[in-house]
């Protein structure tokens, strides 16, 4: 079958999953929306206005508040699930963010949860009735598992992915699966199966990748908690591009089994699974729920570390009553690409507010000078087979390699097929380890608790232009946990002349050319907080303290 026919059939399946909403009892009616050619740049408000007040109320609650309301029977699980199914269908039409809805599966699950609560008087678990969205290549039993490749359509998951079982056992409702790019190795979400997923606050821009469907859906508030994956920025890029919170955990904390991708089993750069959420507490809720199931008793690769949020990393001094200072390193630029004005402004604003509390925060500058080497190392380790599995998966259906797939596969340090020799792989792995040792020594010498830095060289990029991964891939190379948080939107304050005129590199020269403030108006601005390996809890605690001081500047942007 030609790849074009495969793609047409998958899109028809997706349309049928939306149409199935009308067959529920009572039916869910998705309102008429403008044709794609008639849509404005900013579509969030269009989607929001298509809902009832009650549906808006439900879908705009954070995950922790929503599960509390469900446990208290303020809402039923069926009512909540129906609201999120409707909002997800609207988000799909406006941003192209989903591969399928799961109405029958979700409603049946919600009904069983309502029955359990009615009969026992107790919620099933900490996620009782909470709708959770899933990136498509995370396997869902009996459903398609194509990972963005046309030739892989028709591969059916034999079981749920390992990350889903603890969520399900805790009471989650799975109701929608979201888009990912061809190869899963893009910082945007484009595939021959479903096309491009866009940012709801500016449709000219990318939703990010590779968890870009999760990003756009969350940005539209069609999900309050979703599951993504990350090997070079694939959780953090979509979180930043869509005004969300996202966590790239330390590897080997959460289970990875049951996912579909090329190069499964590679150990040189390890992908991770993690959460995206509309609210910061959703990240801890996700992590604590999964780790409470002790997944290391099933997956022997996992490190047996429970979620350690019962003791503070920044405790109060018993004598002074003051909290231990949070020492924050600030990286404004990685020495390779100077971020666009909205990003540097956001850093300056956050740092300026934190400096108002010298008894709580100590700010130090972090000068980065090894980011170029980091990219050389990690790009050499992404495709140790020279990209043969990627190209074979595309060639099997004849689908063309999309531009950003071709770009990453032809990076200078990616070997030609058949890939690295064993000697070369050992050598580059040794370079990785030496880099990690040097970086750790610098971190320890600085004495910082966490590091604040950009998520990328700009905000959500124009489609087809996301070609610099350095600000996110650095932390994958180091295997450091990193959390993204929203800090505002691009506005007229960013329209002044940009004084950065002398490129730091050829990549920086291209990034300078991309800056045009009118192109990015309305786009969310996100920043990244990073900690040392296995300091996941410390990162989120520090972020919670920081956010308590800087507030929630993105809240008004979505209204």
């Amino acid at each position: 079958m030609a790849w074009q026919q495969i793609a047409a059939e998958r899109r028809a399946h997706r349309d049928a999953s939306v149409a199935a909403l009308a067959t529920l009892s009572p039916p869910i009616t998705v309102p008429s929306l403008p044709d794609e050619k008639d849509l404005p740049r900013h579509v969030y408000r269009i989607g929001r206005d298509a809902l009832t007040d009650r549906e808006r109320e439900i879908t705009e609650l954070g995950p922790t508040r929503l599960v509390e309301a469900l446990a208290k029977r303020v809402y039923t699980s069926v009512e909540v699930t129906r609201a999120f199914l409707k909002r997800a269908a609207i988000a799909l039409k406006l941003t192209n963010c989903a591969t399928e809805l799961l109405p029958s599966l979700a409603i049946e699950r919600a009904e069983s949860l309502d029955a359990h609560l009615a009969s026992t008087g107790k919620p099933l678990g900490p996620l009782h009735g909470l709708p959770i969205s899933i990136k498509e290549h995370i396997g869902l039993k009996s459903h398609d598992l194509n990972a963005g490749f046309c030739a892989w359509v028709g591969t059916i998951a034999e079981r749920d992915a390992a990350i889903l079982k603890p969520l399900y056992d805790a009471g989650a409702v799975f109701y929608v699966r979201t888009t990912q790019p061809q190869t899963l190795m893009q910082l945007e979400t484009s595939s021959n199966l479903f096309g491009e997923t866009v940012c709801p606050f500016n449709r000219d821009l990318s939703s990010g990748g590779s968890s870009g469907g999760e990003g756009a859906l969350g940005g539209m508030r069609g999900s309050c908690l979703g599951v993504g994956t990350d090997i070079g920025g694939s959780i953090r890029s979509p979180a930043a591009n869509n005004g969300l919170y996202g966590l790239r955990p330390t590897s080997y904390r959460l289970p990875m089994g049951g996912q579909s991708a090329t190069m499964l089993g590679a150990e040189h750069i390890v992908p991770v699974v993690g959460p995206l959420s509309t609210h910061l507490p959703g990240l801890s809720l996700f992590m604590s729920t999964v780790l409470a199931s002790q997944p290391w008793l099933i997956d022997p690769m996992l490190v047996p570390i429970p979620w350690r949020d019962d003791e503070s990393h920044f405790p109060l001094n018993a004598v002074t009553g003051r909290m231990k200072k949070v020492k924050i390193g600030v990286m404004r630029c990685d020495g390779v690409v100077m971020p666009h004005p909205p990003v540097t402004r956001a850093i300056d604003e956050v740092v300026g507010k934190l400096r108002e509390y010298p008894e709580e925060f100590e700010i130090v500058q972090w000068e980065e000078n090894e980011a170029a080497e980091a990219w050389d190392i990690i790009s050499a380790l992404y495709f140790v087979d020279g990209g043969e599995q990627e190209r074979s998966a595309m060639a099997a259906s004849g689908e063309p390699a999309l531009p950003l797939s071709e770009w990453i596969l032809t990076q200078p340090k990616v070997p030609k097929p058949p890939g690295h020799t064993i000697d070369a792989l050992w050598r580059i792995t040794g370079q990785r380890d030496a880099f990690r040792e040097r970086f750790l020594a610098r971190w320890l010498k600085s004495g910082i608790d966490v590091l604040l830095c950009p998520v990328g060289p700009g905000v959500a990029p124009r489609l087809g232009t996301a070609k610099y991964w350095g600000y996110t891939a650095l932390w994958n190379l180091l295997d450091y946990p990193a959390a993204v948080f929203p800090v505002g939107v691009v506005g007229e304050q960013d329209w002044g002349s940009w004084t950065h005129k002398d490129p730091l590199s050829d990549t920086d020269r291209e990034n300078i050319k991309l800056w045009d403030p009118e192109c990015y108006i309305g786009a969310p601005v996100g920043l990244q907080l990073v900690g040392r390996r296995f300091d996941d809890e410390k990162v989120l605690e520090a972020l919670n303290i920081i956010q308590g001081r800087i507030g929630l500047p993105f809240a008004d942007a979505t209204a």
Side-chain angles (χ1 to χ4, degrees):
M1 186 185 300
W3 71 265
Q4 295 93 334
Q5 186 177 350
I6 296 171
E9 290 186 0
R10 287 317 295 170
R11 296 183 191 196
H13 169 79
R14 180 173 67 176
D15 292 345
S17 76
V18 176
L21 296 175
T23 68
L24 298 175
S25 181
I28 296 176
T29 302
V30 180
S32 298
L33 297 167
D35 292 337
E36 183 176 354
K37 61 181 176 59
D38 298 322
L39 289 172
R41 276 172 148 186
H42 188 295
V43 294
Y44 174 85
R45 284 188 288 269
I46 292 176
R48 190 173 190 271
D49 291 344
L51 301 167
T52 66
D53 290 344
R54 178 83 165 181
E55 290 164 342
R56 281 192 290 269
E57 174 186 300
I58 290 171
T59 52
E60 291 173 15
L61 281 177
T64 54
R65 291 184 61 192
L66 190 51
V67 292
E68 289 172 1
L70 282 157
K72 294 176 181 177
R73 306 192 201 190
V74 176
Y75 315 113
T76 66
S77 180
V78 168
E79 181 184 21
V80 169
T81 300
R82 288 173 61 87
F84 274 97
L85 280 167
K86 181 176 178 180
R87 198 153 189 173
I90 293 169
L92 166 57
K93 289 194 173 186
L94 296 176
T95 66
N96 191 34
C97 60
T99 64
E100 62 179 331
L101 300 184
L102 307 167
S104 297
L105 183 71
I107 294 298
E108 181 180 349
R109 168 67 164 170
E111 289 174 343
S112 70
L113 290 167
D114 285 338
H116 173 88
L117 185 59
S119 63
T120 68
K122 297 180 181 180
L124 181 65
L127 302 181
H128 179 98
L130 183 67
I132 290 183
S133 50
I134 311 168
K135 187 178 181 181
E136 188 275 342
H137 81 111
I138 298 169
L140 184 65
K141 185 178 179 180
S142 302
H143 287 75
D144 205 72
L145 195 57
N146 57 67
F149 292 113
C150 294
W152 289 12
V153 169
T155 303
I156 305 300
E158 297 180 355
R159 61 185 177 93
D160 288 342
I163 191 66
L164 299 186
K165 186 179 187 305
L167 301 174
Y168 187 86
D169 290 346
V173 177
F174 304 134
Y175 68 107
V176 60
R177 305 176 78 205
T178 55
T179 51
Q180 70 240 317
Q182 179 191 61
T183 74
L184 295 172
M185 295 292 286
Q186 296 182 22
L187 286 188
E188 72 171 45
T189 295
S190 302
S191 73
N192 289 313
L193 286 171
F194 295 106
E196 296 168 326
T197 302
V198 297
C199 172
F201 305 103
N202 186 332
R203 284 177 46 85
D204 293 340
L205 307 179
S206 169
S207 66
S210 63
S211 308
E214 284 297 320
L217 182 65
M220 286 292 297
R221 300 306 188 256
S223 170
C224 66
L225 186 62
V227 191
T229 55
D230 193 312
I231 196 172
S234 291
I235 287 172
R236 290 158 291 157
S237 156
N241 289 8
N242 297 281
L244 302 173
Y245 297 87
L247 176 66
R248 183 252 177 229
T250 304
S251 67
Y252 300 115
R253 289 205 73 180
L254 301 182
M256 292 291 294
Q259 298 183 25
S260 176
T262 56
M263 302 178 291
L264 289 176
E267 296 182 321
H268 322 295
I269 303 297
V270 179
V272 298
V273 62
L276 297 90
S277 181
T278 53
H279 294 71
L280 178 56
L283 304 183
S284 293
L285 177 64
F286 182 97
M287 295 295 293
S288 62
T289 299
V290 175
L291 291 176
S293 73
Q294 298 182 298
W296 50 84
L297 297 179
I298 298 172
D299 184 346
M301 290 296 293
L302 300 185
V303 180
I305 302 176
W307 189 244
R308 303 158 296 179
D309 61 354
D310 52 342
E311 292 187 10
S312 174
H313 294 275
F314 308 98
L316 293 177
N317 184 295
V319 177
T320 65
R322 290 182 178 176
M323 180 188 73
K324 174 185 176 293
K325 281 188 180 182
V326 184
K327 189 172 183 179
I328 303 171
V330 178
M331 179 207 297
R332 288 180 167 82
C333 174
D334 68 354
V336 179
V337 175
M338 177 65 70
H340 287 163
V343 177
T344 54
R345 171 183 58 79
I347 291 177
D348 289 341
E349 289 181 353
V350 169
V351 170
K353 290 180 180 179
L354 296 181
R355 287 193 188 278
E356 296 175 7
Y357 305 92
E359 71 283 359
E360 297 180 32
F361 303 100
E362 180 181 354
I363 308 296
V364 298
Q365 298 305 311
W366 180 280
E367 300 297 332
E368 185 52 53
N369 54 22
E370 294 187 291
E373 180 183 356
W375 179 248
D376 285 347
I377 295 170
I378 197 169
S379 61
L381 291 174
Y382 275 143
F383 306 102
V384 297
D385 67 344
E388 281 196 341
Q389 286 198 12
E390 306 284 349
R391 294 198 182 279
S392 294
M394 292 183 281
S397 68
E399 69 169 301
L402 295 175
L404 288 182
S405 299
E406 192 65 35
W407 175 82
I408 189 63
L409 287 168
T410 55
Q411 283 293 287
K413 297 299 181 179
V414 173
K416 303 297 182 186
H420 292 304
T421 64
I422 292 296
D423 285 348
L425 180 57
W426 287 341
R427 175 177 54 80
I428 299 167
T429 302
Q431 292 174 4
R432 178 202 68 183
D433 294 345
F435 185 94
R436 289 176 172 178
E437 289 177 10
R438 292 197 309 273
F439 198 96
L440 176 60
R442 290 169 58 203
W443 185 291
L444 294 174
K445 183 177 180 180
S446 73
I448 61 174
D449 294 301
V450 290
L451 189 145
L452 177 70
C453 66
V455 183
V459 295
R462 282 174 272 183
L463 293 166
T465 67
K467 293 183 178 179
Y468 187 67
W469 298 21
Y471 283 102
T472 48
L474 171 62
W475 311 116
N476 295 85
L477 179 66
L478 294 164
D479 194 18
Y480 283 12
V484 165
F485 61 104
V487 292
V489 297
V490 178
E492 292 185 3
Q493 69 269 41
D494 300 307
W495 287 29
S497 59
W498 193 16
T499 59
H500 178 62
K501 304 296 183 183
D502 298 321
L504 303 174
S505 63
D506 290 342
T507 308
D508 192 32
R509 183 176 290 106
E510 293 305 308
N511 196 54
I512 292 172
K513 293 177 183 177
L514 290 174
W515 175 241
D516 178 351
E518 291 193 23
C519 289
Y520 301 104
I521 192 71
V525 184
L527 296 177
Q528 188 173 201
L529 199 68
V530 181
R532 283 173 50 198
R533 194 163 186 247
F534 294 114
D535 270 357
D536 308 55
E537 296 90 338
K538 187 175 185 178
V539 168
L540 294 188
E541 183 182 356
L543 180 51
N544 189 61
I545 295 169
I546 290 169
Q547 186 145 291
R549 290 308 186 189
I550 67 172
L552 294 166
F554 189 72
D556 293 337
T558 59

